[in-house]
Amino acid sequence: MGTKIRLNLRFRGWRAKKEKSKRYLCPSVKTQPLITLHDKQFKPYLSEAQILAAVKKVAEEVARDYKDEVPIFVGVLNGAFMFVSDFLKHYPHPCEVSFVKLSSYQGLTSTGIVETLLDVPANIKGRSVIILEDIIDTGRTLQELVHLFSSTHVKDFKIASLFYKSELYNGEYTIDYFGMEIPDKFIVGYGLDYMELGRNLRAVYQLNQQQMINIVLFGKPGAGKGTQAGFLKEEYKLKHISTGDVFRYNIKNNTEMGKLAKSYIDKGELVPDSVTIKMLRDEVESNPDANGFIFDGFPRTTAQAKALDDLMASKDMQINATIALEADDEVLIERILERGKQSGRSDDQDEKSIRNRFGEYNEKTAPLREYYEAQGKFHVVNGIGAIPEITQRLHKVINSLQEA
Ligand code: AMP
Protein backbone atom coordinates (compact mmCIF):
# COMPACT_ATOMS: atom_id res chain seq x y z
CA MET A 1 0.00 0.00 0.00
CA GLY A 2 2.81 2.35 0.99
CA THR A 3 4.49 1.67 -2.32
CA LYS A 4 1.35 2.43 -4.28
CA ILE A 5 0.86 5.80 -2.63
CA ARG A 6 4.48 6.65 -3.23
CA LEU A 7 4.19 5.70 -6.89
CA ASN A 8 1.01 7.68 -7.42
CA LEU A 9 2.61 10.77 -5.97
CA ARG A 10 5.69 10.27 -8.04
CA PHE A 11 3.82 9.91 -11.27
CA ARG A 12 1.36 12.62 -10.39
CA GLY A 13 4.39 14.90 -10.05
CA TRP A 14 5.61 13.78 -13.41
CA ARG A 15 2.23 14.36 -15.02
CA ALA A 16 1.83 17.70 -13.32
CA LYS A 17 5.09 18.83 -14.90
CA LYS A 18 3.94 17.65 -18.31
CA GLU A 19 0.51 19.26 -17.92
CA LYS A 20 2.18 22.49 -16.91
CA SER A 21 4.37 22.57 -19.99
CA LYS A 22 1.41 21.59 -22.19
CA ARG A 23 -0.60 24.52 -20.83
CA TYR A 24 1.52 26.97 -22.78
CA LEU A 25 0.83 25.09 -25.97
CA CYS A 26 -2.81 24.40 -25.39
CA PRO A 27 -4.76 26.85 -23.21
CA SER A 28 -7.93 24.70 -23.46
CA VAL A 29 -6.36 22.24 -21.00
CA LYS A 30 -7.17 24.77 -18.28
CA THR A 31 -10.87 24.64 -19.06
CA GLN A 32 -10.98 20.83 -19.08
CA PRO A 33 -10.45 19.72 -15.49
CA LEU A 34 -9.94 16.11 -14.60
CA ILE A 35 -12.40 14.57 -12.17
CA THR A 36 -11.62 11.90 -9.60
CA LEU A 37 -13.98 9.04 -8.82
CA HIS A 38 -12.70 6.64 -6.18
CA ASP A 39 -9.08 5.89 -7.15
CA LYS A 40 -9.28 6.90 -10.83
CA GLN A 41 -9.09 10.11 -12.79
CA PHE A 42 -11.32 10.84 -15.76
CA LYS A 43 -11.06 13.52 -18.41
CA PRO A 44 -13.83 15.17 -20.44
CA TYR A 45 -14.93 13.15 -23.46
CA LEU A 46 -18.42 14.28 -24.61
CA SER A 47 -20.14 17.55 -23.75
CA GLU A 48 -23.74 17.74 -22.63
CA ALA A 49 -24.64 19.31 -25.99
CA GLN A 50 -23.06 16.44 -27.95
CA ILE A 51 -24.92 13.89 -25.83
CA LEU A 52 -28.28 15.64 -26.18
CA ALA A 53 -27.83 15.87 -29.96
CA ALA A 54 -27.30 12.09 -30.05
CA VAL A 55 -30.37 11.50 -27.84
CA LYS A 56 -32.48 13.70 -30.10
CA LYS A 57 -31.28 11.82 -33.19
CA VAL A 58 -32.37 8.47 -31.73
CA ALA A 59 -35.74 9.86 -30.58
CA GLU A 60 -36.46 11.27 -34.04
CA GLU A 61 -35.54 8.02 -35.79
CA VAL A 62 -37.73 5.95 -33.48
CA ALA A 63 -40.59 8.49 -33.78
CA ARG A 64 -40.55 8.15 -37.56
CA ASP A 65 -41.04 4.37 -37.27
CA TYR A 66 -43.66 4.32 -34.48
CA LYS A 67 -45.77 7.43 -35.08
CA ASP A 68 -48.88 5.34 -35.84
CA GLU A 69 -48.97 3.36 -32.60
CA VAL A 70 -48.27 3.65 -28.87
CA PRO A 71 -44.98 1.87 -28.21
CA ILE A 72 -43.65 0.86 -24.79
CA PHE A 73 -40.16 2.12 -24.07
CA VAL A 74 -38.29 -0.06 -21.61
CA GLY A 75 -35.27 1.58 -19.98
CA VAL A 76 -32.46 -0.58 -18.66
CA LEU A 77 -31.56 0.50 -15.13
CA ASN A 78 -29.49 1.94 -13.65
CA GLY A 79 -27.38 3.38 -16.44
CA ALA A 80 -30.16 4.40 -18.86
CA PHE A 81 -32.21 6.62 -16.53
CA MET A 82 -30.85 9.91 -17.92
CA PHE A 83 -31.10 8.70 -21.51
CA VAL A 84 -34.71 7.57 -20.97
CA SER A 85 -35.63 10.91 -19.43
CA ASP A 86 -34.15 13.03 -22.24
CA PHE A 87 -35.33 10.59 -24.92
CA LEU A 88 -38.95 10.92 -23.74
CA LYS A 89 -38.67 14.72 -23.71
CA HIS A 90 -37.77 14.53 -27.41
CA TYR A 91 -40.33 11.85 -28.32
CA PRO A 92 -43.27 13.72 -29.83
CA HIS A 93 -45.99 11.01 -29.94
CA PRO A 94 -48.00 9.09 -27.29
CA CYS A 95 -45.96 6.37 -25.61
CA GLU A 96 -45.60 4.35 -22.39
CA VAL A 97 -42.48 3.80 -20.31
CA SER A 98 -41.25 1.06 -18.03
CA PHE A 99 -37.93 -0.31 -16.74
CA VAL A 100 -35.98 -3.52 -16.32
CA LYS A 101 -32.91 -3.92 -14.18
CA LEU A 102 -29.94 -6.16 -14.92
CA SER A 103 -26.54 -6.24 -13.34
CA SER A 104 -23.26 -7.17 -14.99
CA TYR A 105 -20.54 -4.60 -14.27
CA GLN A 106 -18.40 -4.48 -11.19
CA GLY A 107 -15.76 -1.77 -11.14
CA LEU A 108 -14.28 -1.38 -14.58
CA THR A 109 -14.45 -4.98 -15.68
CA SER A 110 -17.48 -6.82 -16.83
CA THR A 111 -17.94 -9.87 -14.62
CA GLY A 112 -19.73 -11.72 -17.39
CA ILE A 113 -22.56 -12.56 -15.02
CA VAL A 114 -25.88 -10.93 -15.87
CA GLU A 115 -28.62 -11.09 -13.23
CA THR A 116 -32.24 -9.97 -13.59
CA LEU A 117 -33.09 -7.65 -10.72
CA LEU A 118 -36.34 -6.13 -12.10
CA ASP A 119 -38.35 -8.20 -14.55
CA VAL A 120 -40.18 -7.36 -17.82
CA PRO A 121 -43.32 -5.23 -17.49
CA ALA A 122 -46.71 -6.98 -17.49
CA ASN A 123 -49.28 -6.76 -20.35
CA ILE A 124 -46.82 -6.25 -23.18
CA LYS A 125 -48.21 -9.05 -25.35
CA GLY A 126 -48.95 -7.74 -28.85
CA ARG A 127 -47.25 -4.39 -28.18
CA SER A 128 -44.17 -2.84 -29.75
CA VAL A 129 -41.33 -2.75 -27.23
CA ILE A 130 -38.24 -0.59 -27.70
CA ILE A 131 -35.44 -1.17 -25.25
CA LEU A 132 -33.55 1.96 -24.24
CA GLU A 133 -29.95 1.16 -23.30
CA ASP A 134 -27.27 3.63 -22.28
CA ILE A 135 -24.40 1.67 -23.85
CA ILE A 136 -23.80 -1.53 -25.80
CA ASP A 137 -20.31 -2.98 -25.62
CA THR A 138 -19.71 -6.74 -25.72
CA GLY A 139 -23.42 -7.45 -26.13
CA ARG A 140 -23.69 -9.77 -23.13
CA THR A 141 -26.38 -7.68 -21.43
CA LEU A 142 -28.19 -7.32 -24.72
CA GLN A 143 -28.21 -11.08 -25.21
CA GLU A 144 -29.84 -11.44 -21.80
CA LEU A 145 -32.43 -8.78 -22.69
CA VAL A 146 -33.32 -10.53 -25.94
CA HIS A 147 -33.67 -13.74 -23.94
CA LEU A 148 -35.84 -11.99 -21.29
CA PHE A 149 -38.31 -10.78 -23.89
CA SER A 150 -38.20 -13.89 -26.09
CA SER A 151 -41.27 -15.48 -24.51
CA THR A 152 -43.37 -12.31 -24.09
CA HIS A 153 -45.12 -12.47 -27.51
CA VAL A 154 -44.54 -8.80 -28.21
CA LYS A 155 -45.50 -7.50 -31.63
CA ASP A 156 -42.16 -5.88 -32.30
CA PHE A 157 -38.90 -5.79 -30.35
CA LYS A 158 -36.20 -3.19 -31.03
CA ILE A 159 -33.02 -1.95 -29.36
CA ALA A 160 -32.09 1.71 -29.12
CA SER A 161 -28.78 2.50 -27.45
CA LEU A 162 -27.31 5.92 -26.81
CA PHE A 163 -23.69 4.71 -27.10
CA TYR A 164 -22.46 1.78 -29.16
CA LYS A 165 -18.95 0.30 -28.96
CA SER A 166 -19.13 -1.33 -32.38
CA GLU A 167 -15.53 -2.61 -32.36
CA LEU A 168 -16.16 -4.52 -29.12
CA TYR A 169 -19.64 -5.79 -29.93
CA ASN A 170 -19.68 -9.46 -30.81
CA GLY A 171 -23.38 -10.29 -30.46
CA GLU A 172 -25.62 -11.63 -33.20
CA TYR A 173 -28.44 -9.13 -32.71
CA THR A 174 -28.24 -6.06 -34.96
CA ILE A 175 -28.55 -2.80 -33.03
CA ASP A 176 -31.66 -1.08 -34.43
CA TYR A 177 -30.94 2.49 -33.34
CA PHE A 178 -27.93 4.15 -31.74
CA GLY A 179 -27.02 7.73 -30.93
CA MET A 180 -23.28 7.55 -31.34
CA GLU A 181 -20.57 4.96 -32.06
CA ILE A 182 -17.69 5.26 -29.61
CA PRO A 183 -14.29 3.52 -29.37
CA ASP A 184 -13.47 1.11 -26.58
CA LYS A 185 -12.93 3.63 -23.79
CA PHE A 186 -14.15 3.27 -20.23
CA ILE A 187 -16.63 6.12 -19.78
CA VAL A 188 -18.65 7.59 -16.92
CA GLY A 189 -21.32 10.27 -16.57
CA TYR A 190 -24.84 10.80 -17.90
CA GLY A 191 -26.07 7.74 -16.03
CA LEU A 192 -22.91 5.63 -16.44
CA ASP A 193 -20.85 4.93 -13.34
CA TYR A 194 -17.51 3.80 -12.02
CA MET A 195 -18.32 1.80 -8.89
CA GLU A 196 -21.63 3.73 -8.55
CA LEU A 197 -20.05 7.20 -8.76
CA GLY A 198 -20.37 9.56 -11.72
CA ARG A 199 -23.97 8.84 -12.76
CA ASN A 200 -25.05 12.42 -11.96
CA LEU A 201 -22.53 14.08 -14.29
CA ARG A 202 -24.14 15.94 -17.19
CA ALA A 203 -21.19 15.28 -19.53
CA VAL A 204 -19.38 12.03 -20.30
CA TYR A 205 -15.81 11.49 -19.11
CA GLN A 206 -13.24 8.88 -20.10
CA LEU A 207 -10.66 7.13 -17.96
CA ASN A 208 -7.44 9.14 -18.01
CA GLN A 209 -4.86 6.68 -19.28
CA GLN A 210 -2.11 9.32 -19.25
CA GLN A 211 -1.33 8.45 -15.64
CA MET A 212 -0.29 4.99 -16.70
CA ILE A 213 3.20 3.69 -17.15
CA ASN A 214 3.79 0.99 -19.76
CA ILE A 215 7.12 -0.72 -20.08
CA VAL A 216 8.46 -3.24 -22.57
CA LEU A 217 11.08 -5.58 -21.12
CA PHE A 218 13.38 -6.54 -23.91
CA GLY A 219 16.12 -9.16 -24.05
CA LYS A 220 17.09 -12.65 -25.14
CA PRO A 221 15.54 -15.72 -23.53
CA GLY A 222 17.07 -16.18 -20.09
CA ALA A 223 17.97 -12.48 -19.72
CA GLY A 224 15.86 -12.31 -16.54
CA LYS A 225 12.80 -10.52 -17.93
CA GLY A 226 10.31 -12.70 -16.04
CA THR A 227 12.23 -12.52 -12.75
CA GLN A 228 12.63 -8.75 -12.90
CA ALA A 229 9.03 -8.21 -14.07
CA GLY A 230 7.95 -9.97 -10.87
CA PHE A 231 9.70 -7.31 -8.76
CA LEU A 232 8.71 -4.34 -10.91
CA LYS A 233 5.03 -5.24 -10.94
CA GLU A 234 5.02 -5.19 -7.12
CA GLU A 235 6.96 -1.95 -6.81
CA TYR A 236 4.99 -0.02 -9.43
CA LYS A 237 1.66 -1.90 -9.15
CA LEU A 238 1.68 -2.83 -12.82
CA LYS A 239 0.04 -5.70 -14.65
CA HIS A 240 2.66 -8.14 -15.95
CA ILE A 241 1.84 -9.74 -19.30
CA SER A 242 4.23 -12.49 -20.32
CA THR A 243 3.22 -13.87 -23.72
CA GLY A 244 5.30 -16.98 -23.03
CA ASP A 245 3.34 -17.59 -19.80
CA VAL A 246 0.01 -17.08 -21.57
CA PHE A 247 1.04 -19.61 -24.23
CA ARG A 248 2.17 -22.11 -21.58
CA TYR A 249 -1.13 -21.66 -19.73
CA ASN A 250 -2.99 -22.42 -22.96
CA ILE A 251 -0.80 -25.43 -23.69
CA LYS A 252 -1.43 -26.78 -20.17
CA ASN A 253 -5.17 -26.34 -20.65
CA ASN A 254 -5.03 -27.85 -24.12
CA THR A 255 -6.88 -24.95 -25.77
CA GLU A 256 -6.91 -24.54 -29.57
CA MET A 257 -4.40 -21.71 -29.26
CA GLY A 258 -2.23 -23.85 -26.97
CA LYS A 259 -2.18 -26.71 -29.48
CA LEU A 260 -1.18 -24.36 -32.27
CA ALA A 261 1.50 -22.57 -30.21
CA LYS A 262 3.10 -25.78 -28.92
CA SER A 263 4.43 -26.85 -32.30
CA TYR A 264 6.32 -23.56 -32.68
CA ILE A 265 7.47 -23.27 -29.07
CA ASP A 266 8.93 -26.77 -28.99
CA LYS A 267 11.12 -25.97 -31.98
CA GLY A 268 12.16 -22.61 -30.52
CA GLU A 269 10.33 -20.71 -33.27
CA LEU A 270 8.08 -17.71 -32.87
CA VAL A 271 4.33 -18.24 -32.83
CA PRO A 272 2.76 -16.43 -35.84
CA ASP A 273 2.11 -12.71 -35.32
CA SER A 274 -1.63 -12.97 -36.05
CA VAL A 275 -2.12 -15.31 -33.06
CA THR A 276 0.22 -13.48 -30.70
CA ILE A 277 -1.07 -9.98 -31.45
CA LYS A 278 -4.71 -10.99 -30.90
CA MET A 279 -3.81 -12.71 -27.65
CA LEU A 280 -1.93 -9.65 -26.41
CA ARG A 281 -4.85 -7.38 -27.27
CA ASP A 282 -7.25 -9.61 -25.32
CA GLU A 283 -4.94 -9.54 -22.30
CA VAL A 284 -4.75 -5.73 -22.33
CA GLU A 285 -8.49 -5.35 -22.84
CA SER A 286 -9.33 -7.66 -20.00
CA ASN A 287 -7.41 -5.39 -17.59
CA PRO A 288 -8.94 -1.94 -18.12
CA ASP A 289 -8.22 -0.90 -14.53
CA ALA A 290 -4.46 -1.59 -14.64
CA ASN A 291 -2.10 1.22 -13.54
CA GLY A 292 0.05 0.20 -16.47
CA PHE A 293 1.62 -2.87 -18.06
CA ILE A 294 4.95 -4.63 -18.18
CA PHE A 295 5.15 -6.37 -21.53
CA ASP A 296 7.50 -9.32 -21.21
CA GLY A 297 8.25 -11.27 -24.38
CA PHE A 298 6.21 -8.91 -26.54
CA PRO A 299 6.85 -7.39 -29.03
CA ARG A 300 9.26 -9.81 -30.69
CA THR A 301 8.82 -8.65 -34.29
CA THR A 302 8.45 -5.27 -35.95
CA ALA A 303 4.85 -6.13 -36.87
CA GLN A 304 4.14 -6.80 -33.18
CA ALA A 305 5.78 -3.50 -32.15
CA LYS A 306 3.61 -1.60 -34.63
CA ALA A 307 0.51 -3.47 -33.47
CA LEU A 308 1.38 -2.59 -29.86
CA ASP A 309 1.78 1.10 -30.73
CA ASP A 310 -1.59 1.02 -32.55
CA LEU A 311 -3.27 -0.72 -29.61
CA MET A 312 -1.82 1.80 -27.16
CA ALA A 313 -2.87 4.74 -29.33
CA SER A 314 -6.41 3.40 -29.69
CA LYS A 315 -6.68 3.44 -25.90
CA ASP A 316 -4.99 6.77 -25.35
CA MET A 317 -2.02 4.97 -23.86
CA GLN A 318 1.64 4.79 -24.87
CA ILE A 319 4.79 2.81 -24.28
CA ASN A 320 6.92 4.90 -21.92
CA ALA A 321 10.11 2.87 -22.18
CA THR A 322 11.65 -0.25 -23.63
CA ILE A 323 14.32 -1.63 -21.32
CA ALA A 324 16.76 -4.19 -22.68
CA LEU A 325 18.41 -6.59 -20.26
CA GLU A 326 21.73 -7.50 -21.83
CA ALA A 327 23.85 -10.57 -21.16
CA ASP A 328 26.33 -12.77 -22.95
CA ASP A 329 24.95 -15.75 -24.94
CA GLU A 330 27.00 -18.36 -23.11
CA VAL A 331 25.85 -17.03 -19.70
CA LEU A 332 22.27 -17.14 -20.94
CA ILE A 333 22.50 -20.71 -22.22
CA GLU A 334 23.82 -21.85 -18.85
CA ARG A 335 20.99 -20.01 -17.06
CA ILE A 336 18.30 -21.43 -19.35
CA LEU A 337 19.54 -25.03 -19.01
CA GLU A 338 19.58 -24.58 -15.23
CA ARG A 339 16.05 -23.09 -15.32
CA GLY A 340 14.89 -26.03 -17.46
CA LYS A 341 16.02 -28.49 -14.79
CA GLN A 342 13.89 -26.70 -12.18
CA SER A 343 10.80 -25.84 -14.25
CA GLY A 344 10.65 -28.84 -16.56
CA ARG A 345 10.04 -26.47 -19.51
CA SER A 346 10.86 -28.62 -22.53
CA ASP A 347 12.07 -25.67 -24.65
CA ASP A 348 14.61 -24.86 -21.90
CA GLN A 349 16.14 -28.33 -21.83
CA ASP A 350 17.30 -28.69 -25.40
CA GLU A 351 20.36 -26.65 -26.40
CA LYS A 352 19.41 -26.85 -30.09
CA SER A 353 16.01 -25.28 -29.39
CA ILE A 354 17.65 -22.62 -27.18
CA ARG A 355 20.15 -21.69 -29.92
CA ASN A 356 17.25 -21.53 -32.36
CA ARG A 357 15.48 -19.06 -30.04
CA PHE A 358 18.62 -16.93 -30.05
CA GLY A 359 18.66 -17.13 -33.85
CA GLU A 360 15.03 -15.99 -33.98
CA TYR A 361 15.90 -13.16 -31.58
CA ASN A 362 18.86 -11.95 -33.64
CA GLU A 363 16.89 -12.09 -36.87
CA LYS A 364 13.43 -10.87 -35.83
CA THR A 365 13.60 -9.21 -32.41
CA ALA A 366 16.98 -7.40 -32.36
CA PRO A 367 15.85 -4.97 -35.14
CA LEU A 368 13.28 -3.62 -32.67
CA ARG A 369 16.13 -1.83 -30.93
CA GLU A 370 16.24 0.61 -33.86
CA TYR A 371 12.45 0.91 -33.84
CA TYR A 372 12.42 2.05 -30.21
CA GLU A 373 15.66 4.06 -30.48
CA ALA A 374 13.98 6.09 -33.22
CA GLN A 375 11.23 6.89 -30.70
CA GLY A 376 13.82 7.78 -28.03
CA LYS A 377 12.50 5.05 -25.76
CA PHE A 378 15.30 2.46 -25.74
CA HIS A 379 17.27 1.91 -22.53
CA VAL A 380 19.97 -0.70 -21.92
CA VAL A 381 20.53 -2.33 -18.55
CA ASN A 382 23.36 -4.73 -17.71
CA GLY A 383 21.63 -8.04 -16.97
CA ILE A 384 24.66 -9.67 -15.34
CA GLY A 385 25.03 -9.56 -11.56
CA ALA A 386 23.02 -10.28 -8.44
CA ILE A 387 19.23 -10.13 -8.98
CA PRO A 388 18.63 -7.21 -6.52
CA GLU A 389 21.42 -5.22 -8.20
CA ILE A 390 19.74 -5.63 -11.59
CA THR A 391 16.39 -4.64 -10.07
CA GLN A 392 18.03 -1.44 -8.78
CA ARG A 393 19.36 -0.68 -12.26
CA LEU A 394 15.82 -1.06 -13.65
CA HIS A 395 14.36 1.17 -10.93
CA LYS A 396 16.87 3.84 -11.85
CA VAL A 397 15.68 3.84 -15.47
CA ILE A 398 11.98 3.83 -14.59
CA ASN A 399 12.36 6.56 -11.98
CA SER A 400 14.32 8.67 -14.45
CA LEU A 401 11.29 8.67 -16.77
CA GLN A 402 9.52 11.10 -14.46
CA GLU A 403 12.26 13.67 -14.96
CA ALA A 404 12.14 13.31 -18.73
P1 AMP B 1 9.29 -16.93 -23.41
O1 AMP B 1 8.68 -17.53 -22.19
O2 AMP B 1 9.05 -15.43 -23.51
O3 AMP B 1 10.72 -17.28 -23.60
O4 AMP B 1 8.49 -17.54 -24.68
C1 AMP B 1 8.50 -18.93 -24.95
C2 AMP B 1 8.08 -19.16 -26.39
O5 AMP B 1 6.75 -18.67 -26.61
C3 AMP B 1 8.93 -18.45 -27.45
O6 AMP B 1 10.12 -19.17 -27.75
C4 AMP B 1 7.96 -18.40 -28.62
O7 AMP B 1 7.86 -19.64 -29.27
C5 AMP B 1 6.63 -18.14 -27.93
N1 AMP B 1 6.40 -16.68 -27.80
C6 AMP B 1 6.38 -15.93 -26.66
N2 AMP B 1 6.16 -14.63 -26.95
C7 AMP B 1 6.05 -14.55 -28.28
C8 AMP B 1 5.85 -13.47 -29.19
N3 AMP B 1 5.72 -12.22 -28.76
N4 AMP B 1 5.78 -13.77 -30.52
C9 AMP B 1 5.89 -15.02 -30.96
N5 AMP B 1 6.13 -16.07 -30.17
C10 AMP B 1 6.20 -15.86 -28.85
Side-chain angles (χ1 to χ4, degrees):
M1 192 64 192
T3 317
K4 186 172 185 183
I5 291 168
R6 223 178 336 119
L7 173 85
N8 286 344
L9 289 177
R10 231 192 266 152
F11 283 98
R12 206 169 289 151
W14 175 27
R15 280 297 145 209
K17 264 188 228 164
K18 289 208 160 178
E19 289 302 324
K20 205 171 160 194
S21 57
K22 251 198 275 172
R23 233 179 260 168
Y24 297 105
L25 302 171
C26 172
S28 64
V29 169
K30 257 196 248 170
T31 58
Q32 303 218 328
L34 295 177
I35 57 160
T36 304
L37 302 174
H38 296 290
D39 58 331
K40 304 261 179 260
Q41 285 195 325
F42 294 83
K43 61 182 180 184
Y45 178 49
L46 295 170
S47 68
E48 189 178 11
Q50 286 172 300
I51 299 165
L52 291 178
V55 175
K56 191 161 174 259
K57 175 190 134 192
V58 184
E60 285 171 358
E61 283 174 20
V62 176
R64 263 199 303 276
D65 293 348
Y66 289 92
K67 60 181 182 307
D68 299 326
E69 57 181 301
V70 180
I72 305 179
F73 294 116
V74 179
V76 184
L77 292 174
N78 291 333
F81 70 94
M82 283 223 192
F83 174 43
V84 174
S85 168
D86 285 331
F87 176 95
L88 292 176
K89 288 177 210 160
H90 286 100
Y91 193 79
H93 309 301
C95 61
E96 293 178 26
V97 63
S98 188
F99 291 91
V100 286
K101 182 164 176 163
L102 305 171
S103 149
S104 80
Y105 271 91
Q106 271 177 13
L108 295 171
T109 335
S110 172
T111 60
I113 303 158
V114 184
E115 274 180 86
T116 310
L117 304 172
L118 179 64
D119 220 334
V120 292
N123 308 324
I124 57 172
K125 193 173 166 191
R127 304 287 302 275
S128 287
V129 168
I130 295 114
I131 300 288
L132 297 182
E133 256 286 33
D134 45 339
I135 186 161
I136 300 226
D137 46 30
T138 62
R140 242 193 317 259
T141 309
L142 174 60
Q143 196 184 340
E144 183 61 20
L145 280 166
V146 173
H147 176 72
L148 257 182
F149 283 83
S150 61
S151 52
T152 52
H153 304 288
V154 293
K155 177 181 160 210
D156 204 12
F157 179 80
K158 292 276 166 66
I159 303 285
S161 180
L162 175 56
F163 301 120
Y164 175 34
K165 288 186 182 173
S166 53
E167 59 185 65
L168 212 64
Y169 181 64
N170 57 20
E172 285 164 16
Y173 191 95
T174 310
I175 313 304
D176 302 290
Y177 308 94
F178 57 85
M180 197 183 282
E181 272 187 74
I182 59 166
D184 179 23
K185 296 178 189 302
F186 187 86
I187 56 171
V188 294
Y190 197 73
L192 291 125
D193 73 309
Y194 168 51
M195 296 199 319
E196 291 308 324
L197 293 186
R199 294 193 194 277
N200 56 327
L201 298 165
R202 286 164 171 260
V204 164
Y205 294 74
Q206 72 180 81
L207 186 64
N208 185 18
Q209 308 280 26
Q210 301 297 323
Q211 282 177 304
M212 287 180 114
I213 173 152
N214 300 301
I215 293 166
V216 171
L217 273 188
F218 196 72
K220 286 187 177 166
K225 300 188 295 293
T227 307
Q228 294 300 337
F231 296 117
L232 298 180
K233 77 171 183 194
E234 291 304 321
E235 168 70 12
Y236 298 103
K237 297 285 171 260
L238 303 176
K239 168 79 189 159
H240 172 206
I241 300 182
S242 154
T243 40
D245 283 352
V246 182
F247 282 134
R248 282 184 285 278
Y249 176 85
N250 278 276
I251 292 171
K252 199 166 149 218
N253 289 287
N254 209 22
T255 65
E256 282 310 308
M257 190 223 283
K259 284 184 219 160
L260 187 144
K262 190 171 181 343
S263 56
Y264 294 94
I265 292 178
D266 283 348
K267 284 183 273 176
E269 290 172 10
L270 293 187
V271 178
D273 280 345
S274 55
V275 179
T276 314
I277 289 170
K278 181 179 180 310
M279 178 184 89
L280 194 275
R281 174 176 297 124
D282 290 348
E283 288 290 314
V284 170
E285 284 179 348
S286 59
N287 288 284
D289 53 350
N291 283 331
F293 294 92
I294 302 175
F295 297 102
D296 158 10
F298 190 99
R300 267 176 152 110
T301 63
T302 308
Q304 290 181 13
K306 287 186 179 146
L308 183 59
D309 276 349
D310 289 348
L311 177 66
M312 294 285 106
S314 74
K315 299 189 179 302
D316 249 358
M317 292 155 55
Q318 60 161 334
I319 296 298
N320 301 92
T322 296
I323 312 180
L325 280 168
E326 286 199 338
D328 182 73
D329 278 11
E330 297 314 311
V331 175
L332 294 179
I333 290 178
E334 234 174 82
R335 273 192 201 170
I336 295 172
L337 288 169
E338 196 49 42
R339 182 172 76 182
K341 280 189 214 155
Q342 322 276 336
S343 70
R345 259 179 74 171
S346 55
D347 62 337
D348 279 357
Q349 295 179 25
D350 170 19
E351 196 168 326
K352 190 164 159 250
S353 157
I354 297 171
R355 291 208 182 266
N356 201 29
R357 279 150 74 193
F358 284 10
E360 288 277 79
Y361 180 92
N362 291 333
E363 186 194 333
K364 296 173 183 164
T365 311
L368 287 183
R369 180 183 184 130
E370 268 175 44
Y371 181 89
Y372 285 111
E373 269 175 351
Q375 296 186 5
K377 291 179 180 169
F378 197 81
H379 305 260
V380 176
V381 158
N382 178 3
I384 303 281
I387 291 174
E389 265 174 44
I390 301 169
T391 312
Q392 280 313 312
R393 291 174 199 152
L394 289 165
H395 281 171
K396 220 170 135 195
V397 174
I398 297 173
N399 295 343
S400 75
L401 296 173
Q402 62 190 302
E403 281 122 39

